[in-house]
Amino acid sequence: MMQMQSYAARLQDESELLYMSMIGMVMAAIFATGFHADVDRTLTQLAPEGTEYPFPAHTRLGAAKFTAAIGGFLIGVFFWTVVGKLRWELIAQLLKYRDWIYNPKSLKTRAWYLMLSSLLPRKKQLLTFQHVLPKYPLPKLDDTCAKMLDVVEPLVDKEEFEDINKEMEKFKKEDGPNLQAILEKRYQTEENWVADLWDKYAYLSVRSSLLYTNFCQSGGLKRKDISPAEPRTQTARGANIVYHHLRMYELITSRTLPTLLVQDLVPICCHRYRYLFACNRIPGQAMDDLKTYDSPRHIIIFRKGLMFSVDMYATDETGKQSILSPPEIQTILENIIKETADVEGVQWNPAVFTAQNRTVWAQEREKLLAHPRNSAFLQEVESAIFHLVLEDTKPKDLSEECHANLFGNGFSRWLDKSLTCVIHENGLSGGNVEHATADATLTSRVLEYIWARSKYDDQGNAFCPEASHHAVLPVPSKIDWDLSSFRSAIPKYEETFQQIAMNLDAHALKLNHGKGAIKKLRVSPDSFMQMALQLAFYRMNKKVPKTYETAMTRFFKYGRTETIRTPSKHSLAFTQAMDDPNVPRSECIKHLKTAMAYHHQYKLESMNGLGADRHMFGLIVAAKFAGVKPKLFETKILTDYDQLSTSQAPFIFDKKISKNMDVYPAGGAFSPLRDDGYGVFYLFLGENFTTIHITSYRSCPETDSKLFGEKLLEALEDMKQLLKTK
């Protein structure tokens, strides 16, 4: 009884203590605001029964301590919040410093480096820095006009250049300022003034087939000699690729994927990761749309034109839903191959529609949607996490592999899908990517993740020690399209596909030298390669090609790419002098080094958001908005596609995992932008190796991918010998 009375008394004391503490805080707030009329009556009514108001003697000390503790906690939270906000504000301000790109070793840059590194949080996940990334710059009108004149000068004759110069001056005085004002308003109101314009008008409004814009990636090469990666069975390779793509997908959706920092310091925009998986490009009459899907569980598997929807999650031993393990996925893939073993030829499906003109595909898609069964299947296909193709082909070399990954057979690539993984019958692998969704740097990082984690047991089967196990596996669901109303159209669409696919001439090179040999010449490897491309093209055609090289602009929020313009009056002087016996070697070296210096500086400015192409693109779009047609924008050399389209990507993203890899990525390819053009993707694989993928169109008598590759190798060797000249 005494214990119960003691307990009751303690409860009374605690209720009084809480009441007194509340009184202290409430009264302080009320008196601070000046609203304290009739306070006594209100607080007395709230008091526990039997409590003396306002402060019984035996509760005053405890109430004071309790109030002080609460106040101290609130003050601490306040200051922690303020300090945190101040820290992020400082990071945001430091990231606006751009001179580190131009002067990485200056005293100012070193001080900046120390300040920024001391403020960065330890935990750096996918979107950690999104809110502090700087805005994409809007260049000055005069600067862009001057750059564009530098760009076109080596591409045209003197008379044409004078005409362009006059139109440029006229544009700067008349339409230019008004169009610049439109972009300046966008700069003030948008987080990235060009991002959505680029998505819409460079990709989604284009009506031509995605066969011209999708890009492909090839599989792995042995690190020691860049020969093909260790042979694996199709299903074992496929099981590892599927499992680790799903793991990457979960890291992205949970936002726990570690973000990448350039030089372990500068964050880059990770916004486009959201389009890598569970995303589909939906065709429209005039403009397409990128659609993402929330929490799908399935993938689509192609085999001989047949399509299967497979749930990739099941209940594991703990009762939770988790990804199927690699051995379980391998079993499913083996079952699909067995089920399709007796299928003769390639079965029809709507994938061939995705290779057509976008407006044509939009019209056919409406017909599919009008059919209830086809509509349900279409939703299943478009909402999948990604697609997997189990090919029945066996590419003999990197050139054949590249062509196969880019095109397939017309019924094995749903080109609208953000990501399609391709596994050939001989175990070679690759992928096909819809370009509006992502750029090669993102998909290359995914490949690194896959190759670094793929494991095989002693029998060559896929396995993963940490994967969950499932008692009951999902059963693949065959997609049974009703294409009876398309029987006359499909052969025509298949013919269109074959014409485009067979017209592409793809040639891949593997070089047993990389950045190491070039760096010994004390020049930039990228600038060296770009000048070799210029020399090879000039030797074949005796003219300068309008040239595109990709620059990454992901230092800025929602940034993607900018164009590096390689040709200059300096590169023209070099290519003309190189084979002229009357020009001394010392003069050739001077022209080459000047051209490389120009290219390197243009590259840095492009990475810094100060290139000319995106700004000029924005001005052209602004002119459409304003309903004006400056004569400058009718200049063919400005609006023409590039005759030489080039790109490269890093081969290392996460140093922690890449050092344990026994394979290198093989690179990838894309179609040329012009009938008389080339597409070139080169990849420096460390110090000792390089891969180069070259594409052109067979229909053009002036282009030849293999010959261009031979001329490129000659140019690389001649330039090395030139720079070795004392």
Side-chain angles (χ1 to χ4, degrees):
M1 180 66 71
M2 291 181 62
Q3 288 182 343
M4 292 182 63
Q5 290 176 345
S6 175
Y7 180 66
R10 190 161 63 251
L11 282 177
Q12 178 70 14
D13 288 345
E14 289 176 353
S15 68
E16 290 178 353
L17 176 62
L18 181 60
Y19 166 65
M20 298 310 153
S21 302
M22 180 196 73
I23 287 177
M25 289 184 283
V26 172
M27 289 182 67
I30 291 174
F31 285 122
T33 57
F35 300 106
H36 49 271
D38 206 19
V39 170
D40 290 356
R41 180 179 58 81
T42 304
L43 294 180
T44 303
Q45 290 175 352
L46 295 174
E49 186 178 353
T51 302
E52 297 179 18
Y53 172 78
F55 293 107
H58 66 283
T59 60
R60 291 175 186 170
L61 180 60
K65 290 181 177 180
F66 185 77
T67 304
I70 293 295
F73 172 76
L74 294 175
I75 291 172
V77 169
F78 172 77
F79 279 106
W80 180 262
T81 302
V82 170
V83 169
K85 287 185 175 295
L86 179 60
R87 178 194 193 187
W88 282 112
E89 182 59 31
L90 287 172
I91 291 174
Q93 293 302 318
L94 287 171
L95 291 178
K96 293 179 182 179
Y97 173 72
R98 309 306 310 160
D99 200 47
W100 67 272
I101 289 182
Y102 305 109
N103 300 295
K105 296 182 179 180
S106 69
L107 183 61
K108 187 177 181 180
T109 297
R110 290 177 182 177
W112 167 81
Y113 181 96
L114 289 173
M115 286 189 288
L116 183 57
S117 59
S118 67
L119 290 169
L120 294 183
R122 288 186 179 181
K123 197 171 185 180
K124 305 175 184 69
Q125 295 182 334
L126 190 64
L127 302 180
T128 296
F129 298 99
Q130 282 297 110
H131 66 295
V132 292
L133 291 174
K135 295 178 69 170
Y136 194 87
L138 176 62
K140 295 178 180 179
L141 181 62
D142 287 351
D143 291 346
T144 292
C145 291
K147 273 192 173 74
M148 291 307 298
L149 288 174
D150 287 343
V151 165
V152 302
E153 185 175 8
L155 307 178
V156 297
D157 59 37
K158 188 174 181 181
E159 183 179 345
E160 187 176 357
F161 179 72
E162 289 177 356
D163 291 340
I164 295 172
N165 195 1
K166 290 178 182 177
E167 287 301 325
M168 191 71 78
E169 289 299 318
K170 182 179 178 183
F171 175 75
K172 285 163 58 177
K173 295 176 182 177
E174 297 179 2
D175 293 313
N178 293 331
L179 300 181
Q180 179 74 357
I182 294 174
L183 297 185
E184 286 174 351
K185 185 176 181 179
R186 285 185 59 85
Y187 177 79
Q188 296 298 328
T189 57
E190 304 286 337
E191 293 191 271
N192 185 313
W193 66 267
V194 74
D196 67 318
L197 299 181
W198 185 250
D199 282 354
K200 289 178 180 178
Y201 300 106
Y203 290 112
L204 300 178
S205 65
V206 177
R207 300 291 85 197
S208 57
S209 169
L210 295 188
L211 292 172
Y212 294 114
T213 55
N214 279 24
F215 65 90
C216 75
Q217 294 179 304
S218 297
L221 302 173
K222 288 182 181 177
R223 194 163 183 162
K224 61 180 180 180
D225 59 5
I226 64 172
S227 61
E230 194 71 26
R232 302 293 180 186
T233 65
Q234 185 178 25
T235 55
R237 181 82 77 196
N240 262 317
I241 285 175
V242 168
Y243 177 77
H244 292 293
H245 270 86
L246 291 169
R247 289 288 301 272
M248 173 64 89
Y249 168 64
E250 288 193 339
L251 289 173
I252 292 173
T253 54
S254 65
R255 300 184 177 182
T256 54
L257 180 70
T259 191
L260 297 177
L261 302 178
V262 175
Q263 297 182 0
D264 295 324
L265 180 70
V266 185
I268 57 179
C269 182
C270 296
H271 169 71
R272 300 226 57 104
Y273 278 96
R274 69 190 294 261
Y275 298 111
L276 270 178
F277 296 97
C279 178
N280 198 77
R281 178 167 169 170
I282 307 296
Q285 292 292 328
M287 183 173 292
D288 295 351
D289 180 48
L290 287 184
K291 185 174 181 179
T292 56
Y293 300 83
D294 294 331
S295 306
R297 297 165 50 97
H298 68 286
I299 67 171
I300 298 296
I301 299 178
F302 289 73
R303 174 71 172 175
K304 296 183 178 180
L306 296 175
M307 300 171 66
F308 301 84
S309 177
V310 187
D311 193 338
M312 285 288 111
Y313 291 79
T315 305
D316 60 27
E317 61 269 23
T318 67
K320 296 180 179 180
Q321 292 286 300
S322 58
I323 303 173
L324 302 181
S325 69
E328 294 164 348
I329 297 172
Q330 185 172 342
T331 298
I332 290 175
L333 300 184
E334 289 169 350
N335 290 338
I336 288 176
I337 289 177
K338 289 177 184 177
E339 183 177 342
T340 57
D342 297 331
V343 174
E344 296 291 335
V346 178
Q347 303 302 299
W348 284 0
N349 65 57
V352 72
F353 299 163
T354 70
Q356 309 308 310
N357 171 281
R358 300 305 292 170
T359 301
V360 171
W361 167 213
Q363 293 166 352
E364 299 293 17
R365 184 173 179 274
E366 288 300 317
K367 297 177 186 177
L368 287 172
L369 290 172
H371 189 294
R373 190 171 78 192
N374 287 340
S375 179
F377 289 147
L378 191 62
Q379 168 68 18
E380 192 82 357
V381 170
E382 293 179 341
S383 65
I385 300 172
F386 61 90
H387 291 180
L388 174 73
V389 183
L390 296 172
E391 292 281 22
D392 57 355
T393 55
K394 300 177 181 179
K396 296 191 298 289
D397 55 32
L398 204 55
S399 299
E400 283 192 11
E401 184 183 345
C402 159
H403 192 282
N405 291 339
L406 197 56
F407 294 113
N409 58 27
F411 298 96
S412 59
R413 306 283 185 277
W414 197 276
L415 296 171
D416 295 357
K417 196 62 192 169
S418 56
L419 178 61
T420 299
C421 301
V422 181
I423 317 294
H424 298 280
E425 203 165 73
N426 56 0
L428 295 178
S429 65
N432 188 289
V433 183
E434 200 289 304
H435 208 340
T437 61
D439 303 305
T441 51
L442 273 69
T443 53
S444 296
R445 186 187 182 188
V446 175
L447 281 183
E448 179 187 66
Y449 181 92
I450 307 307
W451 284 101
R453 288 168 171 79
S454 295
K455 293 183 175 63
Y456 303 88
D457 62 20
D458 294 339
Q459 287 74 45
N461 295 313
F463 87 105
C464 181
E466 64 268 22
S468 301
H469 299 281
H470 308 82
V472 180
L473 300 184
V475 178
S477 174
K478 184 179 176 181
I479 296 178
D480 187 16
W481 301 97
D482 183 349
L483 300 178
S484 55
S485 61
F486 299 95
R487 292 190 184 280
S488 61
I490 288 179
K492 178 182 66 175
Y493 293 150
E494 186 178 9
E495 182 181 357
T496 300
F497 165 83
Q498 292 294 344
Q499 288 175 350
I500 298 174
M502 292 302 100
N503 190 31
L504 190 84
D505 178 21
H507 182 64
L509 300 170
K510 295 195 290 187
L511 283 57
N512 290 319
H513 50 83
K515 291 191 292 186
I518 301 174
K519 288 192 290 189
K520 287 179 181 178
L521 301 172
R522 300 192 177 188
V523 295
S524 160
D526 184 51
S527 295
F528 187 86
M529 178 64 77
Q530 285 291 320
M531 289 307 122
L533 289 165
Q534 293 295 305
L535 181 58
F537 189 95
Y538 188 83
R539 283 174 167 175
M540 288 182 65
N541 302 281
K542 300 304 177 187
K543 66 176 184 178
V544 179
K546 187 179 181 183
T547 307
Y548 169 102
E549 182 189 2
T550 306
M552 183 196 77
T553 57
R554 288 171 60 204
F555 297 119
F556 305 99
K557 194 166 188 179
Y558 304 141
R560 288 190 68 173
T561 59
E562 172 60 283
T563 300
I564 305 167
R565 291 298 177 187
T566 302
S568 65
K569 58 185 179 183
H570 312 295
S571 68
L572 175 59
F574 162 67
T575 54
Q576 289 176 333
M578 190 63 181
D579 296 328
D580 188 341
N582 298 317
V583 177
R585 296 292 85 184
S586 59
E587 194 70 16
C588 290
I589 293 173
K590 178 182 177 181
H591 288 314
L592 174 57
K593 289 191 172 182
T594 304
M596 286 192 291
Y598 174 90
H599 168 265
H600 185 67
Q601 182 66 21
Y602 201 110
K603 178 179 181 177
L604 297 181
E605 291 180 0
S606 296
M607 292 171 62
N608 223 5
L610 298 176
D613 274 69
R614 295 299 175 270
H615 188 200
M616 186 59 67
F617 166 82
L619 292 168
I620 291 172
V621 174
K624 293 180 180 179
F625 291 166
V628 297
K629 296 181 179 180
K631 190 176 179 181
L632 177 69
F633 294 166
E634 298 174 6
T635 306
K636 193 171 184 295
I637 196 63
L638 288 179
T639 57
D640 266 357
Y641 285 119
D642 299 293
Q643 195 168 14
L644 184 56
S645 301
T646 72
S647 185
Q648 67 161 322
F651 79 101
I652 290 178
F653 294 87
D654 189 332
K655 295 178 182 178
K656 293 179 181 178
I657 65 172
S658 63
K659 65 181 180 182
N660 298 320
M661 292 171 58
D662 58 359
V663 293
Y664 280 143
F670 50 87
S671 298
L673 294 177
R674 279 169 49 162
D675 292 341
D676 62 346
Y678 290 95
V680 181
F681 183 91
Y682 54 95
L683 189 62
F684 292 114
L685 298 173
E687 301 297 301
N688 302 315
F689 304 107
T690 308
T691 61
I692 305 173
H693 288 71
I694 303 168
T695 58
S696 63
Y697 294 116
R698 301 181 192 276
S699 57
C700 179
E702 300 172 7
T703 59
D704 184 316
S705 297
K706 184 177 180 181
L707 179 60
F708 186 80
E710 292 171 356
K711 293 295 183 181
L712 178 58
L713 294 180
E714 289 178 9
L716 287 167
E717 188 58 35
D718 289 348
M719 287 167 56
K720 285 180 185 176
Q721 295 304 319
L722 175 68
L723 291 176
K724 288 178 181 178
T725 303
K726 295 184 179 179

